[in-house]
Amino acid sequence: MAKNLELVFNKIDELANAVAPDFNIINDRLAPAIKITSISSDNTNEGRKHVYAMTDFLETQLKELNASVSRHKLGKQPDTDILLPDVIVANYPETYDKNKKTVLIYGHYDVQPPGDGWATDPWTLQEKDGKLYGRGATDDKGPVLAWLNALQAYQAAKVDVPVNLIFCFEGMEESGSIGFAAFVKDNQALFQHVDAACISDNYWLTTRKPCLTYGLRGINYFKLTIEHPGIQLHSGMFGGCIYEPMTDLVILLSKLVDSQGRILIPGINELVEDVSEAEIEEYATIEFTTQDFQNTIGSEANIYDDPKDTLMHRFRYPSLTIHGITGADPSPDQTTAIYPKVTAKFSIRTVPDMQGDAVTDLTIHYIEEEFRKLQSKNTCHVELFGESAPYWLGKKDDDNFTAGKAATQKVYNTEPDLTREGGSIGVTLDLQNALGDKSIMLLPVGMSDDGAHGPNEKINKENYVKGSKLLGAYWWYFANPEPKYGH
Amino acid sequence: MAKNLELVFNKIDELANAVAPDFNIINDRLAPAIKITSISSDNTNEGRKHVYAMTDFLETQLKELNASVSRHKLGKQPDTDILLPDVIVANYPETYDKNKKTVLIYGHYDVQPPGDGWATDPWTLQEKDGKLYGRGATDDKGPVLAWLNALQAYQAAKVDVPVNLIFCFEGMEESGSIGFAAFVKDNQALFQHVDAACISDNYWLTTRKPCLTYGLRGINYFKLTIEHPGIQLHSGMFGGCIYEPMTDLVILLSKLVDSQGRILIPGINELVEDVSEAEIEEYATIEFTTQDFQNTIGSEANIYDDPKDTLMHRFRYPSLTIHGITGADPSPDQTTAIYPKVTAKFSIRTVPDMQGDAVTDLTIHYIEEEFRKLQSKNTCHVELFGESAPYWLGKKDDDNFTAGKAATQKVYNTEPDLTREGGSIGVTLDLQNALGDKSIMLLPVGMSDDGAHGPNEKINKENYVKGSKLLGAYWWYFANPEPKYGH
């Protein structure tokens, strides 16, 4: 059986090195995809056309690989007259094979605006020093097309794809996946046979070692407003005589979190799942150094000297960040007003077992209590604001992850690190809601230095090629479980 | 002698009630001045022309009153190609009379932009219910023209003006009096004979009782920056792992002042001049209620229930206001960044005997000390920023103020309250620097509810007319001191 997988791998190498007129998965698949400026945040009819063009591109590619493609309309984007791009759902084989397990694959085909600072044209794939530069190279066109590369290789090698595949690609991920949650909820029939799902839309923790990702922190986002019902006043005439909202606001904010990042809201830390010695050991084995971290943040402002502690505070401890203040003067000018209504926004990143409601209740109660202690005549109002999301924790020891581990071992000859992400990835929760207790795994193709969202986004050629193998191998091992790796 | 003053007052009443074609000080002096849109913050050639037009208007009016007028060029406005409006200096009588004392009169002829919310056209003087509405009616065209009304009345009544007058009117006061300090410094010869100065550019403390103003708070303006040298980071990926500048900033800001307005910087309050029982008694006699104060601030967010305490905290105690934060997100959107460099601006209002340098040193030292306690790896920098100014304290018992008191008693039949302003008025200090130990008095014409800078600015017709008498009477009593009022 493993010999068949070798045939697939060989085909991927061939497809990566093919010379025209033969099909090459870089020149004939990734390069034309990069050319399409599918920026989902461009809310103009003209801009959105390029996202639709990318839908067409993927539909064509999938049909050439004999998948049955359906396009799902999401209607107009709220508050605009512009149509949302279709969600593409593609089944391979065309007819469901009840003797095979079924894998759902999620990806997105829209990209971020290019921004400034590019050394090359962001819309022309360019190879330099083994790196393939272009907007979307790693987020998420490269990984999406790697799935197609794998399928093509199976076919070229005449190896039967051992699972039913359902590809689900959306075009609004970089703009908050507008419409996607509702689509998933309304179309659960499409996913009825799914045994497991895989998302390739994140990155290795470093540039040195592959990983599988099994957890995400959640977020509770708050707005805290201090107000007196009066008008903007001159600090010369009124300073010292009235309760100033900004004074109360900074006092309350100072009681939320300390310089070392410890949340000061009573009861919050008690919600966090206890850590075991064994778990700490797991983090200690992950390939990650303080130097890696400092390179990423661009400074030496790390709180923890031990990289294991940094990982734990990203993966499995909560954090609280104050993002900004509205209503005071944000200009650099010398202004002298006392502002009557100031609002701070802050968020708490949540982890197991912090239930969102409990976090909200504790936070609001604490702030109101601290405000009462101030004995101010201003008013204080704190509430949840915008989108909040629960944490997500996958099943890192099930068949899905076992297949991911075996595939990594096969392609990279190393056991992947098991990581979590500190941020939330909305679609993971949308899919988990649709799939109930089915397993979801995040299986990244790119590296920590790929620069998604920034200038000079790239994917290493090696990651693109080996990533195509990795995804194909993942199907293989999900269908054909080996004795658990390492046992 | 006092009979002559009655003749002047009668003429002012006549001039206020005159019917065309006779000259009327409202229709023929205030109304055409209001028509001129002399907005000094309009930094365009076109906009500035209207300020120049107001210079011309005053020059013409002063010449018609037989004053000798000189116009002083201030050069180009820094960082622009636009000329600053001239300072007008007018002497009356044309030739210095060495047998008379000399009074310097300051005013400004530029205005604030109108802004929104006007019930009538801001550039057309309209009378309603005894109030004269229009931009500049009270700040400061009305008071400036009231000086001219007084001079005209003396002449019409054929009463000799008992002092030498030096009018000094500038056109950039609402934009920071650009160029004025340098002009005063470079032209001290113009002011060599001055015995006292009077500024009519502030307001009664209430709507019920006139006042003389003998003090101003100073201001030390600071910038506090917390920074790590890195980049903007995602709070999901990095929250809890790095020292967040915004966290450190709010902690430091919370240590500056408490909700009740008490400055927490050690040593600051010790600099403040001790208060005596007699001084407290003076504040207690001032016509001012908590209701007055609440009407002004538009809320019940007053710290002190006793109006005397409110006055003392406006007049003679320091205060600290946080004006805003730069570098974090001031938008109302749900954003999730950790910002690498955040700057707060705050100011301390200073009073006798707080020397600016001492305040600066104590503040910087304290913040640096508190930052060290945080043991953060961010950096902290605090410094003076923009314009700072010392407090000003006039000589409320000298001949200048005695004349102001006698004039008030004569016109309003009441002893004026002696007040200070909580803010700084830059030109007061500029003039004090030029005049050495000569007395300056602030003698307001308008009321607390005149709405300078806001929509529907007005001056009561009664204030405009009685104000003209008040200013004329001030000259009279400065030249002809009576036995001290109240003794």
Side-chain angles (χ1 to χ4, degrees):
Chain A
M1 296 263 276
K3 196 176 154 242
N4 281 342
L5 194 51
E6 292 296 341
L7 295 176
V8 171
F9 284 11
N10 290 343
K11 277 292 168 198
I12 288 172
D13 286 328
E14 277 178 35
L15 287 164
N17 295 308
V19 176
D22 290 344
F23 186 93
N24 179 298
I25 55 173
I26 296 168
N27 302 333
D28 301 313
R29 181 166 284 136
L30 185 56
I34 297 295
K35 272 208 180 311
I36 301 170
T37 60
S38 53
I39 304 168
S40 57
S41 62
D42 184 347
N43 288 335
T44 64
N45 276 308
E46 191 52 39
R48 188 58 54 82
K49 278 181 191 164
H50 301 291
V51 187
Y52 305 150
M54 192 63 203
T55 328
D56 297 339
F57 174 86
L58 278 179
E59 181 181 19
T60 304
Q61 293 258 330
L62 284 160
K63 283 182 171 169
E64 283 174 1
L65 296 170
N66 300 312
S68 73
V69 179
S70 58
R71 293 174 64 142
H72 298 264
K73 303 218 166 295
L74 302 183
K76 282 186 182 167
Q77 184 169 340
D79 304 324
T80 75
D81 263 335
I82 307 168
L83 287 174
L84 291 165
D86 297 344
V87 172
I88 284 193
V89 176
N91 290 77
Y92 184 89
E94 288 192 73
T95 313
Y96 171 65
D97 181 344
K98 69 180 187 347
N99 295 317
K100 292 176 180 172
K101 291 197 279 188
T102 299
V103 172
L104 172 66
I105 288 149
Y106 167 90
H108 68 88
Y109 58 83
D110 61 320
V111 295
Q112 286 276 330
D116 298 324
W118 285 79
T120 60
D121 174 20
W123 308 114
T124 304
L125 189 72
Q126 307 231 9
E127 183 176 343
K128 195 184 167 198
D129 300 333
K131 291 165 185 169
L132 300 165
Y133 290 93
R135 172 55 86 222
T138 196
D139 183 18
D140 187 34
K141 288 178 176 175
V144 161
L145 299 178
W147 291 112
L148 273 58
N149 297 340
L151 178 55
Q152 184 178 9
Y154 270 94
Q155 294 172 353
K158 299 191 176 5
V159 174
D160 184 51
V161 176
V163 289
N164 294 296
L165 298 172
I166 305 177
F167 298 101
C168 179
F169 298 140
E170 67 152 325
M172 286 301 285
E173 198 273 346
E174 299 293 0
S175 298
S177 291
I178 301 171
F180 187 73
F183 161 76
V184 171
K185 198 174 168 201
D186 296 345
N187 291 278
Q188 301 220 11
L190 293 172
F191 310 119
Q192 59 178 317
H193 297 303
V194 171
D195 294 293
C198 185
I199 299 173
S200 186
D201 187 25
N202 66 320
Y203 310 95
W204 298 2
L205 196 57
T206 64
T207 58
R208 299 185 300 279
K209 200 174 173 193
C211 66
L212 311 180
T213 303
Y214 66 96
L216 302 169
R217 292 200 290 189
I219 184 169
N220 277 29
Y221 204 102
F222 293 91
K223 223 165 58 168
L224 165 59
T225 298
I226 308 289
E227 178 175 19
H228 65 71
I231 53 174
Q232 183 173 319
L233 295 167
H234 190 274
S235 63
M237 294 179 67
F238 300 99
C241 306
I242 64 167
Y243 289 91
E244 301 192 14
M246 193 68 173
T247 300
D248 289 349
L249 186 66
V250 299
I251 293 172
L252 292 178
L253 292 175
S254 78
K255 294 178 185 293
L256 297 178
V257 61
D258 73 10
S259 186
Q260 279 67 30
R262 287 178 288 249
I263 295 177
L264 305 176
I265 302 166
I268 289 282
N269 296 310
E270 287 74 3
L271 298 176
V272 177
E273 188 183 39
D274 287 340
V275 64
S276 67
E277 283 302 317
E279 189 188 340
I280 293 173
E281 274 315 299
E282 282 180 35
Y283 300 123
T285 64
I286 292 176
E287 174 80 24
F288 185 70
T289 67
T290 294
Q291 190 59 53
D292 286 328
F293 189 66
Q294 291 180 344
N295 290 347
T296 311
I297 65 176
S299 79
E300 296 182 357
N302 49 296
I303 294 176
Y304 302 100
D305 292 330
D306 186 334
K308 156 176 97 310
D309 292 324
T310 297
L311 289 180
M312 290 174 73
H313 281 271
R314 177 191 293 199
F315 290 175
R316 63 103 63 222
Y317 284 117
S319 64
L320 191 153
T321 295
I322 301 159
H323 301 292
I325 290 173
T326 311
D329 182 10
S331 84
D333 306 331
Q334 183 182 20
T335 55
T336 54
I338 300 168
Y339 296 90
K341 181 178 180 181
V342 287
T343 300
K345 42 190 189 179
F346 66 92
S347 63
I348 298 176
R349 299 285 169 172
T350 58
V351 296
D353 299 315
M354 298 169 73
Q355 298 305 312
D357 287 350
V359 171
T360 303
D361 290 348
L362 286 168
T363 303
I364 292 177
H365 175 77
Y366 172 66
I367 291 175
E368 288 177 346
E369 198 61 35
E370 290 299 316
F371 180 72
R372 262 190 290 278
K373 289 184 194 166
L374 297 183
Q375 299 194 285
S376 169
K377 287 189 188 167
N378 292 319
T379 60
C380 167
H381 184 68
V382 54
E383 62 183 346
L384 275 183
F385 160 65
E387 301 289 321
S388 290
Y391 63 81
W392 171 78
L393 198 63
K395 302 168 181 180
K396 62 179 177 174
D397 294 316
D398 66 5
D399 291 350
N400 202 21
F401 280 85
T402 301
K405 289 173 202 171
T408 305
Q409 180 70 33
K410 180 76 181 172
V411 173
Y412 285 102
N413 200 29
T414 185
E415 185 167 17
D417 282 330
L418 283 162
T419 69
R420 304 191 202 178
E421 290 278 353
S424 58
I425 300 176
V427 294
T428 312
L429 292 157
D430 297 337
L431 292 175
Q432 193 73 73
N433 286 337
L435 299 178
D437 63 353
K438 298 293 159 57
S439 171
I440 300 177
M441 173 174 65
L442 275 56
L443 179 58
V445 164
M447 285 181 171
S448 65
D449 69 344
D450 280 357
H453 296 206
N456 305 313
E457 177 182 349
K458 60 90 180 169
I459 191 165
N460 288 11
K461 182 177 173 184
E462 182 177 351
N463 282 59
Y464 181 64
V465 176
K466 284 194 172 172
S468 301
K469 294 179 186 175
L470 177 74
L471 302 180
Y474 157 66
W475 296 338
W476 183 268
Y477 290 110
F478 188 65
N480 305 293
E482 290 198 331
K484 278 203 176 181
Y485 174 77
H487 293 260
Chain B
M1 296 265 272
K3 195 178 155 238
N4 280 342
L5 195 51
E6 292 297 342
L7 295 175
V8 172
F9 284 11
N10 290 342
K11 276 293 169 196
I12 288 173
D13 286 329
E14 276 177 37
L15 287 164
N17 296 308
V19 176
D22 290 343
F23 187 93
N24 179 297
I25 56 173
I26 295 168
N27 302 333
D28 302 313
R29 181 166 283 138
L30 186 56
I34 298 294
K35 273 210 180 312
I36 300 171
T37 60
S38 53
I39 304 167
S40 57
S41 63
D42 183 347
N43 288 335
T44 63
N45 275 307
E46 191 53 36
R48 188 57 56 81
K49 278 181 192 163
H50 301 291
V51 188
Y52 305 149
M54 192 63 203
T55 327
D56 297 339
F57 175 85
L58 279 180
E59 181 180 19
T60 303
Q61 294 258 331
L62 285 160
K63 283 182 172 170
E64 284 175 0
L65 295 170
N66 300 312
S68 75
V69 179
S70 59
R71 293 174 62 143
H72 298 265
K73 302 219 168 295
L74 303 184
K76 283 186 181 167
Q77 184 168 338
D79 305 325
T80 75
D81 263 335
I82 308 169
L83 288 175
L84 291 165
D86 296 344
V87 172
I88 284 192
V89 177
N91 290 79
Y92 185 90
E94 288 192 73
T95 312
Y96 171 64
D97 181 343
K98 70 179 184 346
N99 295 315
K100 292 176 180 171
K101 291 198 278 187
T102 300
V103 172
L104 172 66
I105 288 149
Y106 166 90
H108 68 90
Y109 59 83
D110 61 319
V111 295
Q112 286 276 330
D116 299 324
W118 284 80
T120 59
D121 174 21
W123 308 114
T124 305
L125 189 72
Q126 309 230 7
E127 182 176 344
K128 196 183 168 200
D129 300 334
K131 292 166 185 168
L132 299 166
Y133 290 92
R135 172 55 87 222
T138 196
D139 182 17
D140 185 32
K141 289 178 176 175
V144 161
L145 299 178
W147 292 111
L148 273 58
N149 297 341
L151 179 55
Q152 184 178 7
Y154 270 94
Q155 294 172 351
K158 298 191 182 355
V159 175
D160 184 52
V161 177
V163 289
N164 293 297
L165 298 173
I166 305 176
F167 298 101
C168 180
F169 299 141
E170 67 153 326
M172 286 300 286
E173 198 274 346
E174 300 293 0
S175 298
S177 290
I178 301 171
F180 188 73
F183 161 76
V184 172
K185 198 174 168 203
D186 296 345
N187 292 277
Q188 301 220 12
L190 293 172
F191 310 119
Q192 59 178 316
H193 298 302
V194 172
D195 295 293
C198 184
I199 299 173
S200 186
D201 187 25
N202 66 320
Y203 311 95
W204 296 2
L205 196 57
T206 64
T207 59
R208 298 184 301 280
K209 201 173 174 196
C211 64
L212 310 181
T213 303
Y214 66 96
L216 302 169
R217 294 199 288 188
I219 183 168
N220 277 29
Y221 204 102
F222 294 92
K223 223 164 60 169
L224 165 59
T225 298
I226 309 290
E227 178 176 18
H228 66 70
I231 55 174
Q232 184 173 319
L233 295 167
H234 189 274
S235 65
M237 293 179 68
F238 300 98
C241 305
I242 64 167
Y243 289 91
E244 302 193 13
M246 192 68 174
T247 300
D248 289 349
L249 186 67
V250 299
I251 293 171
L252 293 179
L253 292 174
S254 77
K255 293 177 185 296
L256 297 178
V257 61
D258 73 10
S259 186
Q260 280 67 28
R262 288 179 288 250
I263 296 177
L264 305 176
I265 301 166
I268 289 282
N269 296 311
E270 286 74 2
L271 298 177
V272 177
E273 188 183 37
D274 288 338
V275 64
S276 67
E277 282 303 318
E279 189 188 339
I280 294 173
E281 273 316 299
E282 282 179 36
Y283 299 124
T285 64
I286 292 176
E287 174 81 25
F288 185 70
T289 67
T290 295
Q291 189 60 53
D292 287 327
F293 188 66
Q294 291 179 345
N295 290 347
T296 311
I297 65 175
S299 79
E300 299 181 356
N302 50 296
I303 295 176
Y304 302 100
D305 292 331
D306 186 334
K308 159 175 92 319
D309 292 324
T310 297
L311 289 181
M312 290 175 72
H313 282 271
R314 179 192 293 199
F315 291 175
R316 63 102 62 224
Y317 284 118
S319 64
L320 191 153
T321 295
I322 301 159
H323 302 291
I325 290 173
T326 310
D329 182 11
S331 85
D333 307 330
Q334 184 182 22
T335 53
T336 54
I338 301 168
Y339 297 90
K341 181 178 180 180
V342 288
T343 300
K345 41 190 189 180
F346 67 93
S347 63
I348 298 176
R349 299 284 169 174
T350 58
V351 295
D353 300 314
M354 299 168 73
Q355 297 306 311
D357 287 350
V359 171
T360 303
D361 290 348
L362 286 168
T363 303
I364 292 177
H365 176 77
Y366 171 65
I367 291 175
E368 288 176 346
E369 199 60 36
E370 290 299 315
F371 180 71
R372 263 190 291 277
K373 290 184 193 165
L374 296 183
Q375 300 194 286
S376 168
K377 288 188 188 168
N378 293 319
T379 61
C380 167
H381 185 68
V382 54
E383 62 183 346
L384 275 184
F385 160 65
E387 300 290 320
S388 291
Y391 62 81
W392 171 78
L393 199 63
K395 303 168 180 178
K396 62 178 175 175
D397 293 317
D398 66 5
D399 290 350
N400 202 19
F401 280 84
T402 300
K405 289 173 202 170
T408 305
Q409 180 70 32
K410 180 77 182 170
V411 174
Y412 284 102
N413 201 29
T414 185
E415 186 168 19
D417 283 329
L418 284 162
T419 68
R420 303 192 204 177
E421 290 278 352
S424 58
I425 300 177
V427 293
T428 313
L429 293 157
D430 297 336
L431 292 175
Q432 192 73 76
N433 287 337
L435 299 178
D437 64 353
K438 299 292 161 53
S439 171
I440 300 177
M441 174 175 65
L442 275 56
L443 179 57
V445 163
M447 286 180 170
S448 64
D449 69 344
D450 280 357
H453 296 204
N456 305 313
E457 177 182 349
K458 62 88 179 168
I459 190 164
N460 288 10
K461 182 178 173 183
E462 182 177 351
N463 283 59
Y464 181 65
V465 176
K466 286 196 172 172
S468 301
K469 295 179 185 176
L470 177 74
L471 302 181
Y474 157 66
W475 297 337
W476 185 268
Y477 289 110
F478 188 65
N480 306 295
E482 291 198 333
K484 279 203 174 181
Y485 174 76
H487 291 263

